[in-house]
Amino acid sequence: MLHQWSAQSGQTPREPGHLPESEDLWEQEMEWLRASREPLRSLPYAMMDKRLIRKMREPEGMQMTRWQCWQQKQQTMGQRLGEVARRLAWGFGLWKGALYEIGALQCPGSHQAQTYIPRFHNQLWNVLTGRAFNNTYLFYGAYWAGPESSSAYSIRLAYLLCPLACLLLCFCGILRRMMKGFLRRPGLGQDYGVPLSAKVFSSWDFCIHLRDAATIKKHEISNEFKVYLEECRRRQQVQQDTPTQRACRLLSYLRVNLLNACLVAGGISAIFWATKYSQDNKEESLFVVLQYLPPGVISLVNFLGPLLFMFLVQLESYPPSIEVNLILIWCVVLKLASLGMFSFSLGQTMLCIGRNKTSCETYGYNACDYQCWENSVGEELYKLIIFNFLLTVAFAFLVTLPRRLLVERFSGRFWTWLGREEFLVPKNVLDIVAGQTVTWMGLFYCPLLPLFQSIFLFLTFYIKKYTLLRNCRTPPRLFRASSSTFFFQLVLLLGLLLAAVPLGFVVSSTHSSWDCGLFTNYSAPWQVVQELVALRLPLSGQRALQYLSSHAFGLPLLWLLSHILTVCIAQSQANARAIHVLRKQLVWQVQEKWRLVEELSRLLQEPGSSESLIPDSPRFRASHPRFSGPGFWSPGSPGPESPARDPSTRTPPWLSSSYPGSRDSPGPRFRFPSGTEL
């Protein structure tokens, strides 16, 4: 390579393996490169060689200032923008490219290649496949930096640590949201859920004034009641089932799950072979179609898979809540497995993971077909993001909208059965999770991919909003949004782990490309961290880092973390037991109040009950047995000693402010075994 030879000899670059008798031809080639003004992007050299040729073309003995460098960059950028604008204007010309192609106006002896006759669809295809941005900062290969020093800013370290820091921050944010959702869930079973009376009397929001908002709130409360009643009916049915019915239900679950597992295995196998076929046949003429074969197969599998899952589940006549849970679980498995298989197939093709290939022995990757394999991975992930967005737009305006128009226009049994499309919230949420997982996977290979994903999410929201309000109908299957939030956060965490594992392997154990990028001279990107530690940290800091990464620090840290985890688990279990006891105490207290109210009503209805209302009378003591529940005063006992009063003026204990069940009373004191008082 040009830059390797020049770095070793200190002279003008020469191709490796060049014979001495061809020195004159090589010097003539270098003089032509130095004197020529042909654009660098049209030269068949690598990025490093093009930078060296640019330095050779600069005048000798003249050092450009920052202002001159900035002006030169602006001039070059302006020329590129003007050339792109001219090509686009030429491509927009009506029938111009087609007329040139039909009439053969290209001269046989001309040096102008046929590729300089631009056509708009070629430019658009390059944008869709990522080739138009191959030499830009969108992909890994466009970043470059000189040797590391002890004082300069390290762009290599920043490029390496930014994706890792982003993944760490996303992990902390997801974990925080999961904990907030987990704390809101009832952790002690269904017996302590919100009662139906509380849902009836406290569900309405009295701040609502608009009619549309009130209608939406009514539907929300109605759906909550339906889900609650369905769960109650299902629990009651499960309790009444015989052992034979339970065994049949278990066999039915196993049969459906086995069929779904076979569908998932077939889907990920199709993704693997599609990716392998598209990469192995990339030089053929059909490569224009094969470019989007893996994203197309992934989208097809993710579209047909849920439909087949739904069909298999409906054949078993499960309750609606069971159907939604099974379909949701298998959709998650299918989406994550498809992305995992796509990542593995790319690694097997480009990094030769799991197979032996001679082209990988020298460089550590498939250098014959992928000289800059990081850019190739970035292009694949870029195409996956683009294809998902285009598929969303196509389904919204080419499938859902015509379906709604046809259903409204025609009447009949078929159109009634077809109806509008159902808007499934879990499916749309899982699509967003899958897109976010692809974005995390491309942080290292395509640093600006999150910017594209943010723009696509912004547009997707309004497209989905239009589809929901105008073209879709409410699905008959209901799901509980409060409990699904925790599940979606868990799926997002699994997607983050799916993206972090390949990235960790690439950063720590994979050799970078020799032709492009920031880590061309490193055996692995993580080696730059060790180099900078040796260059910039003092000896004491290096020793401290060595100690922190050694077993002498790791084993005590593991022992300390295990003890802290044990203490936290024991404390949480103790708190759970305390909450359980307090809930039982609350139930007993409510039951005792109801019993006292019933006793009072019975005594008031009896004739001559004036004497029975006196607490010290024998009749009152006989009709009020002492209750010895935990943490309660006995309702029939006189309670704390107080000055004697006239029996005729004494207040019944359940009406006095000192009674533990009254509103003004501080309530009974419950003492835990450890002495803590509540």
Side-chain angles (χ1 to χ4, degrees):
M1 298 175 63
L2 291 178
H3 65 280
Q4 292 178 352
W5 192 92
S6 62
Q8 295 176 1
S9 62
Q11 301 177 4
T12 55
R14 182 179 302 172
E15 290 183 351
H18 207 283
L19 298 176
E21 55 267 16
S22 60
E23 289 183 357
D24 296 336
L25 295 177
W26 176 246
E27 290 180 357
Q28 292 178 5
E29 178 70 16
M30 296 306 300
E31 290 295 333
W32 179 82
L33 289 175
R34 185 182 294 109
S36 176
R37 293 303 174 187
E38 187 175 354
L40 293 178
R41 64 178 176 275
S42 62
L43 297 178
Y45 294 105
M47 294 294 296
M48 298 288 295
D49 301 332
K50 291 180 180 179
R51 295 189 181 98
L52 183 59
I53 295 172
R54 184 185 294 111
K55 291 183 179 179
M56 291 169 51
R57 291 181 177 180
E58 295 179 358
E60 297 182 358
M62 178 179 178
Q63 186 176 5
M64 300 179 63
T65 61
R66 293 184 178 180
W67 173 255
Q68 292 175 346
C69 293
W70 183 83
Q71 284 183 338
Q72 185 178 2
K73 290 182 180 179
Q74 296 298 322
Q75 184 179 2
T76 305
M77 188 179 299
Q79 293 176 357
R80 291 180 180 178
L81 291 177
E83 185 176 355
V84 171
R86 286 192 297 271
R87 289 188 178 185
L88 289 177
W90 187 280
F92 275 113
L94 185 61
W95 305 326
K96 188 174 295 184
L99 289 176
Y100 272 105
E101 184 178 359
I102 294 172
L105 300 174
Q106 184 70 26
C107 298
S110 176
H111 294 285
Q112 184 181 5
Q114 185 69 22
T115 55
Y116 282 98
I117 302 178
R119 288 186 293 183
F120 177 69
H121 62 82
N122 290 335
Q123 300 293 332
L124 180 61
W125 184 255
N126 290 334
V127 171
L128 294 179
T129 57
R131 289 186 173 182
F133 311 106
N134 201 13
N135 296 325
T136 63
Y137 289 120
L138 177 63
F139 295 109
Y140 164 87
Y143 294 86
W144 179 85
E148 295 292 341
S149 61
S150 58
S151 59
Y153 171 77
S154 177
I155 189 175
R156 290 187 178 91
L157 186 63
Y159 189 94
L160 179 62
L161 295 184
C162 282
L164 301 179
C166 180
L167 293 178
L168 182 60
L169 290 177
C170 293
F171 174 77
C172 296
I174 294 172
L175 201 62
R176 179 173 174 269
R177 291 178 63 88
M178 284 181 63
M179 290 298 102
K180 293 176 69 175
F182 182 76
L183 293 176
R184 293 175 182 175
R185 298 178 65 190
L188 296 177
Q190 299 290 338
D191 296 335
Y192 304 107
V194 180
L196 186 61
S197 59
K199 293 178 181 283
V200 172
F201 293 106
S202 62
S203 296
W204 185 254
D205 187 2
F206 291 93
C207 297
I208 296 177
H209 299 287
L210 300 178
R211 184 179 299 275
D212 296 337
T215 304
I216 295 174
K217 188 64 177 179
K218 290 178 181 178
H219 287 298
E220 179 185 353
I221 297 174
S222 175
N223 292 337
E224 289 184 0
F225 288 157
K226 291 178 182 178
V227 173
Y228 178 80
L229 295 176
E230 176 63 28
E231 291 179 355
C232 293
R233 188 187 65 82
R234 184 173 57 85
R235 288 198 299 268
Q236 185 178 5
Q237 183 179 0
V238 169
Q239 293 175 358
Q240 296 176 355
D241 285 345
T242 61
T244 305
Q245 293 176 344
R246 295 179 183 177
C248 293
R249 185 182 295 108
L250 180 60
L251 291 176
S252 176
Y253 288 158
L254 292 177
R255 180 172 63 252
V256 171
N257 291 329
L258 182 61
L259 293 176
N260 290 337
C262 294
L263 290 176
V264 171
I268 62 177
S269 300
I271 293 170
F272 173 77
W273 290 111
T275 306
K276 180 178 174 54
Y277 184 78
S278 64
Q279 296 297 324
D280 293 342
N281 299 275
K282 65 177 184 177
E283 300 298 335
E284 296 183 0
S285 59
L286 291 178
F287 184 58
V288 176
V289 181
L290 298 178
Q291 283 269 358
Y292 273 89
L293 182 61
V297 173
I298 292 175
S299 300
L300 183 63
V301 168
N302 291 329
F303 175 73
L304 295 179
L307 296 179
L308 295 176
F309 297 158
M310 191 180 304
F311 176 73
L312 292 176
V313 171
Q314 287 179 352
L315 289 178
E316 301 295 333
S317 300
Y318 292 136
S321 58
I322 300 295
E323 289 185 7
V324 172
N325 292 334
L326 285 176
I327 295 172
L328 194 59
I329 290 173
W330 282 109
C331 287
V332 170
V333 173
L334 181 63
K335 287 184 178 295
L336 296 182
S338 61
L339 291 178
M341 180 53 66
F342 179 67
S343 178
F344 175 76
S345 58
L346 289 179
Q348 189 183 39
T349 305
M350 300 177 187
L351 303 179
C352 303
I353 297 176
R355 64 173 182 173
N356 296 324
K357 195 173 183 180
T358 56
S359 60
C360 299
E361 295 177 357
T362 305
Y363 302 99
Y365 61 95
N366 191 351
C368 296
D369 300 329
Y370 304 96
Q371 296 181 358
C372 188
W373 64 269
E374 291 91 350
N375 274 20
S376 301
V377 175
E379 288 180 3
E380 295 296 329
L381 298 176
Y382 171 83
K383 286 186 291 186
L384 193 58
I385 290 290
I386 293 289
F387 189 80
N388 288 338
F389 176 71
L390 294 179
L391 198 64
T392 300
V393 176
F395 264 92
F397 296 102
L398 300 180
V399 177
T400 309
L401 178 60
R403 179 176 175 179
R404 190 258 297 179
L405 295 177
L406 291 174
V407 169
E408 291 180 352
R409 175 67 177 81
F410 299 100
S411 61
R413 182 177 301 177
F414 172 76
W415 301 107
T416 304
W417 170 81
L418 182 63
R420 295 188 178 187
E421 183 182 349
E422 297 179 2
F423 190 86
L424 301 176
V425 176
K427 178 182 177 300
N428 289 274
V429 174
L430 292 180
D431 291 340
I432 297 176
V433 171
Q436 184 62 44
T437 304
V438 175
T439 305
W440 283 329
M441 294 171 64
L443 285 176
F444 183 78
Y445 315 101
C446 189
L448 299 182
L449 191 62
L451 178 62
F452 284 84
Q453 179 66 10
S454 301
I455 297 174
F456 292 157
L457 282 178
F458 178 80
L459 298 176
T460 302
F461 172 79
Y462 290 100
I463 293 173
K464 294 289 186 181
K465 178 184 177 182
Y466 170 78
T467 304
L468 171 65
L469 298 179
R470 299 295 300 274
N471 302 328
C472 292
R473 59 186 174 91
T474 305
R477 303 171 190 84
L478 302 175
F479 73 101
R480 188 182 295 275
S482 58
S483 60
S484 300
T485 303
F486 176 82
F487 178 76
F488 290 141
Q489 295 296 327
L490 179 60
V491 175
L492 197 61
L493 181 62
L494 294 178
L496 179 63
L497 296 178
L498 180 64
V501 170
L503 180 60
F505 173 76
V506 168
V507 168
S508 61
S509 305
T510 305
H511 201 294
S512 302
S513 300
W514 291 95
D515 295 336
C516 64
L518 295 169
F519 308 99
T520 54
N521 298 323
Y522 295 90
S523 59
W526 189 254
Q527 188 182 357
V528 71
V529 178
Q530 303 173 359
E531 180 182 354
L532 290 175
V533 167
L535 282 175
R536 301 186 181 183
L537 283 183
L539 186 60
S540 59
Q542 297 180 22
R543 290 178 179 176
L545 287 180
Q546 291 177 359
Y547 174 73
L548 292 177
S549 60
S550 63
H551 296 288
F553 177 78
L555 293 178
L557 180 63
L558 183 62
W559 178 83
L560 180 62
L561 290 177
S562 63
H563 276 267
I564 293 175
L565 184 62
T566 303
V567 172
C568 292
I569 292 175
Q571 184 66 31
S572 63
Q573 291 178 354
N575 293 337
R577 287 193 298 268
I579 293 173
H580 185 73
V581 172
L582 289 175
R583 288 180 182 273
K584 281 189 175 181
Q585 178 183 351
L586 181 61
V587 172
W588 290 336
Q589 186 176 2
V590 172
Q591 292 177 354
E592 180 62 18
K593 287 184 177 180
W594 277 108
R595 193 187 67 80
L596 291 176
V597 170
E598 292 177 357
E599 186 69 17
L600 179 61
S601 301
R602 185 180 62 82
L603 293 176
L604 291 177
Q605 293 176 359
E606 293 181 359
S609 59
S610 59
E611 182 183 359
S612 63
L613 296 177
I614 301 176
D616 293 337
S617 61
R619 186 175 180 181
F620 181 86
R621 292 179 180 177
S623 61
H624 290 75
R626 294 180 179 271
F627 181 73
S628 58
F632 287 98
W633 292 338
S634 299
S637 63
E641 295 184 0
S642 58
R645 294 186 181 179
D646 187 9
S648 61
T649 60
R650 292 187 63 177
T651 308
W654 54 83
L655 299 179
S656 63
S657 60
S658 61
Y659 188 68
S662 63
R663 180 178 299 179
D664 300 331
S665 173
R669 294 291 181 179
F670 179 79
R671 188 175 299 276
F672 292 98
S674 60
T676 305
E677 193 176 66
L678 182 64

